[in-house]
């Protein structure tokens, strides 16, 4: 479980005004689970992600990952290994000269045998469907492929949780679908907990629970159906409804016999 206890995070930079990015926030994310975090730009999503893997330490309060407080400096690597973080821009995450080298990078510091590293690379690359590109130079890959390699690098650490911070924003539709399929499989097959930070409400529908963040505070936690049942309320937090949900609303208003909220095209098809 990741426990966020009364956490406040304040950015303090020289010659700059302080910014309170997270405000007295409480949250428990069980494992395994698949949660989404949504919120407008600047609502604190990335700050919360960094707090959950110890890249940032709370100004007040505590973040506890499977019983380890992120303030325990000597155990920070244990936490980083448990909670993998995948960022928005795959370009900034690739460091190796080959895909294999890139994926190996994180676990080379774990003191593993070459055989163990080899096995982990195999597992990670096949999980993201990139085995064939093992010896490929990463800069020749598409955005979606690069993002898959970034996920593989995190996977090679055998994390219990993976936080993905808007991982599909820079990708085309195909890349986006690939990433979402991989994420779902990691959860369903490997039982890795997924925390998907997203702007995209269609993606939030995939999660079991959705957290709405606004101005550093949690405004709502619920299932996707509960969240999109809020309708107009969600607009004031800078969010939108999935397209199919909006469409079903219009159809309902025109007299079609469908329930609200419809969350997927599949559901709509069954209704009609
Ligand atoms: N390094 C930083 N220094 C100062 N303020 C920051 C820094 N990073 C983020 N912020 C501010 O903290 C708030 C939350 O940012 P962030 O967590 O990046 O939100 P999100 O990921 O939801 O867009 C924003 O107001 C942002 O401007
Ligand atoms: Mg962000």
């Amino acid at each position: 479980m990741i426990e966020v206890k009364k956490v406040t995070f304040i950015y303090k930079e020289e010659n700059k005004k302080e910014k309170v990015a997270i405000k007295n926030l409480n949250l428990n994310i069980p494992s395994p689970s698949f949660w989404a975090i949504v919120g407008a730009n600047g609502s604190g999503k990335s700050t919360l992600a960094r707090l959950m893997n110890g890249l940032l330490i709370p100004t007040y309060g505590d973040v506890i990952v499977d019983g380890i407080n992120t303030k325990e400096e000597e155990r920070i690597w244990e936490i980083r290994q448990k909670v993998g973080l995948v960022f928005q821009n795959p370009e900034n995450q690739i460091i190796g000269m080959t895909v294999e080298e890139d994926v190996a990078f994180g676990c080379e510091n774990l003191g593993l045998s070459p055989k163990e590293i080899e096995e982990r690379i195999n597992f990670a690359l096949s999980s993201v469907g990139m085995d064939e590109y093992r010896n490929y130079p990463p800069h020749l890959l598409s955005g979606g492929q690069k993002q898959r390699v970034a996920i593989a690098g995190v996977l090679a650490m055998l994390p219990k949780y993976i936080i993905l911070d808007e991982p599909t924003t820079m990708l085309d539709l195909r890349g986006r679908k690939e990433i979402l399929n991989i994420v779902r499989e990691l959860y369903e097959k490997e039982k890795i907990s997924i925390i998907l930070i997203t702007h995209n409400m269609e993606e939030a529908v995939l999660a079991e629970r959705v957290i709405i963040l606004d101005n550093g505070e949690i405004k709502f936690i619920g299932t996707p159906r509960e969240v999109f049942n809020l309708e107009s309320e969600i607009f004031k937090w800078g969010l939108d409804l999935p397209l199919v949900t909006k469409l079903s609303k219009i159809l309902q208003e025109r007299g079609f016999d469908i329930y609200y909220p419809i969350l997927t095209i599949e559901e709509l098809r069954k209704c009609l």
Side-chain angles (χ1 to χ4, degrees), residues 142-197:
S142 71
Q145 289 172 324
K146 281 181 190 154
Q147 197 60 301
R148 281 150 70 184
V149 172
I151 294 174
V154 164
L155 269 181
M157 311 280 281
L158 306 183
K160 189 162 160 190
Y161 308 86
I162 299 183
I163 305 176
L164 302 106
D165 192 354
E166 305 199 41
T168 62
T169 310
M170 322 279 285
L171 308 183
D172 58 16
L173 189 64
R174 185 171 152 198
R176 182 171 284 216
K177 280 194 173 153
E178 284 168 0
I179 297 298
L180 296 174
N181 281 337
I182 288 165
V183 163
R184 209 196 318 228
E185 286 210 345
L186 290 176
Y187 173 57
E188 285 170 4
K189 291 196 185 144
E190 306 294 336
K191 301 283 173 266
I192 296 174
S193 292
I194 302 291
I195 301 160
L196 177 65
I197 297 176

Side-chain angles (χ1 to χ4, degrees), residues 39-47 49-50 88 165-166 197 199:
N41 248 332
S43 56
K45 303 181 297 296
S46 297
T47 305
R50 286 170 162 84
Q88 184 176 82
D165 192 354
E166 305 199 41
I197 297 176
H199 245 94

Side-chain angles (χ1 to χ4, degrees), residues 211-227:
I211 299 171
I212 298 180
L213 208 58
D214 180 49
N215 205 9
E217 295 174 312
I218 293 178
K219 294 296 171 177
F220 193 84
I221 300 183
T223 63
R225 207 170 295 284
E226 286 164 349
V227 165

